[in-house]
Amino acid sequence: YRPGRIQVGFLGWPCTIGSSELLDFAFVDPKSTMVESVALKRHYEEKLLIVPPSLFVGDHRRKLPRPQGGANRFANRSALNIPNKAFVFANHNQLFKLNEALLDTWGNILRRARTLNVKCIEQNPSPSTGVLLWLLRHPSAAEVSVREELIARGVPKHHVLFSDFAPQDEYVGRVEVADVFLDNVQYNAGATGVETFWAGVPMVSMPGDTFVRRMGKSLAAAVNGSEGIVYSLKEYEDLAVAFATKCGQPGTGAHHGLKHIRKNLKAGHSHEGKSLFNTTQWADKFVRALRMAVDTTTVPSSSSTTATTKHCVVV
């Protein structure tokens, strides 16, 4: 029915609607959408409003302010039954997002990190309680199957931890005790990724060729977190292992760089910080994009359908 003279698609359905007669424009950003593709017309029927660095935004500064002094009641991990000296990989997405290739990669990561850390401890003895994979029990019926799949890949049962849902403020506090977030490949973390970065936890993410497989790259661009973006499952595995290895991989120093990455992510909590949490800056771009959509569109008097406009508008 086209109730609006100009109609714009946003995050509720972040991909093309499939018809320029229904929507004139789509909000995208240069990371989540392959705007550089020569076949762009085949991916989006709508014209594009490109809003860098990311079309995602988090108002966590308002609804989840940091506790006074920055204290975290889960800092010693005891409330979560996580050993203080363990290296914790986390993934708190729904379990349907897993696939066999990712489980293979996670199995390789945990086996390699465990083996390398044993060698590191032999060279330089220090307390250690291994490497853990921390998942969300959602849906709870999938827990048994996921455990069995990981055990089949050489991951001991006690190296996999499942947690239940929690209120958002408690959940973000829990996430903060993880060391690294391992993103899904088929469906990247969207809202979960925003909360992960707000908690100051680095992410390893591998972009693909669709919007839902490029959300991690978009979020990383908004917090200058490109250190965790990789382009193959082998790179994904190697980077995660390097992060988790106490003595560091030769020539990388990745494990020791985690503290620096976390510090940079936490800097995004200030008002002048990273774009992902700067709602004022983001809203200004959003409004400017809408105005540009109007300014660049010509609508003939005899029709409500967009007649002419540029295919892409960069805000």
Side-chain angles (χ1 to χ4, degrees), residues 170-222:
E170 179 181 329
Y171 165 73
V172 173
R174 292 191 321 189
V175 173
E176 191 172 337
V177 309
D179 292 292
V180 170
F181 185 94
L182 297 178
D183 201 7
N184 296 91
V185 175
Q186 291 296 108
Y187 303 89
N188 289 174
T192 304
V194 175
E195 289 164 348
T196 296
F197 281 134
W198 178 251
V201 178
M203 179 189 297
V204 178
S205 185
M206 186 183 85
D209 57 358
T210 62
F211 180 95
V212 294
R213 296 181 64 184
R214 297 174 69 87
M215 294 187 291
K217 186 174 183 179
S218 175
L219 294 173

Side-chain angles (χ1 to χ4, degrees), residues 57 278-289:
V57 65
N278 192 328
T279 52
T280 300
Q281 180 188 86
W282 187 92
D284 287 345
K285 289 185 177 181
F286 189 87
V287 171
R288 191 160 69 247

Side-chain angles (χ1 to χ4, degrees), residues 12 33 56 67 76 79 97 100 106 145 148 164 172 181 189 222 230 242 274 280 291 297:
T33 301
F56 290 94
N76 65 6
K97 297 183 178 182
E100 290 192 359
W106 285 359
S145 297
E148 290 177 351
D164 290 314
V172 173
F181 185 94
V230 295
K274 305 298 187 292
T280 300
R291 287 173 175 161
T297 301

Side-chain angles (χ1 to χ4, degrees), residues 16-294:
T16 181
I17 203 72
S19 172
S20 58
E21 294 182 1
L22 299 177
L23 293 179
D24 304 299
F25 291 90
F27 267 105
V28 301
D29 66 56
K31 301 298 183 182
S32 64
T33 301
M34 299 177 69
V35 295
E36 73 280 4
S37 172
V38 295
L40 189 60
K41 277 283 193 179
R42 293 169 51 194
H43 295 297
Y44 276 84
E45 285 294 319
E46 305 90 333
K47 300 167 185 68
L48 303 184
L49 293 171
I50 305 171
V51 185
S54 176
L55 62 88
F56 290 94
V57 65
D59 61 345
H60 294 56
R61 189 180 295 106
R62 177 184 61 80
K63 66 181 180 181
L64 293 173
R66 307 296 297 175
Q68 191 67 31
N72 181 359
R73 61 194 171 105
F74 298 113
N76 65 6
R77 296 181 170 184
S78 60
L80 299 167
N81 296 317
I82 297 176
N84 279 329
K85 296 294 183 179
F87 189 94
V88 180
F89 288 114
N91 179 297
H92 294 135
N93 283 316
Q94 298 182 59
L95 296 174
F96 83 86
K97 297 183 178 182
L98 304 181
N99 60 19
E100 290 192 359
L102 186 60
L103 289 171
D104 289 343
T105 301
W106 285 359
N108 293 343
I109 290 169
L110 269 69
R111 290 197 315 274
R112 287 178 57 192
R114 187 170 69 245
T115 300
L116 286 170
N117 280 331
V118 167
K119 293 180 179 179
C120 290
I121 293 168
E122 290 173 351
Q123 298 167 9
N124 184 22
S126 61
S128 177
T129 49
V131 182
L132 297 180
L133 176 62
W134 183 16
L135 304 174
L136 183 65
R137 191 177 284 115
H138 181 45
S140 58
E143 178 180 350
V144 173
S145 297
V146 172
R147 282 191 186 277
E148 290 177 351
E149 291 290 341
L150 290 168
I151 289 172
R153 289 162 171 80
V155 179
K157 181 178 179 180
H158 61 280
H159 284 206
V160 183
L161 171 71
F162 282 85
S163 289
D164 290 314
F165 279 108
Q168 191 178 38
D169 57 344
E170 179 181 329
Y171 165 73
V172 173
R174 292 191 321 189
V175 173
E176 191 172 337
V177 309
D179 292 292
V180 170
F181 185 94
L182 297 178
D183 201 7
N184 296 91
V185 175
Q186 291 296 108
Y187 303 89
N188 289 174
T192 304
V194 175
E195 289 164 348
T196 296
F197 281 134
W198 178 251
V201 178
M203 179 189 297
V204 178
S205 185
M206 186 183 85
D209 57 358
T210 62
F211 180 95
V212 294
R213 296 181 64 184
R214 297 174 69 87
M215 294 187 291
K217 186 174 183 179
S218 175
L219 294 173
V223 294
N224 294 334
S226 58
E227 298 96 336
I229 302 300
V230 295
Y231 293 92
S232 71
L233 284 175
K234 184 64 170 65
E235 289 182 67
Y236 182 112
E237 177 184 326
D238 289 345
L239 180 58
V241 171
F243 277 146
T245 304
K246 300 292 184 181
C247 53
Q249 291 285 69
T252 66
H255 177 78
H256 302 289
L258 276 180
K259 185 176 181 180
H260 176 72
I261 296 172
R262 292 181 74 108
K263 182 179 179 180
N264 284 343
L265 290 174
K266 290 291 183 67
H269 294 170
S270 67
H271 181 71
E272 295 79 16
K274 305 298 187 292
S275 299
L276 186 59
F277 303 109
N278 192 328
T279 52
T280 300
Q281 180 188 86
W282 187 92
D284 287 345
K285 289 185 177 181
F286 189 87
V287 171
R288 191 160 69 247
L290 291 175
R291 287 173 175 161
M292 292 175 74
V294 173

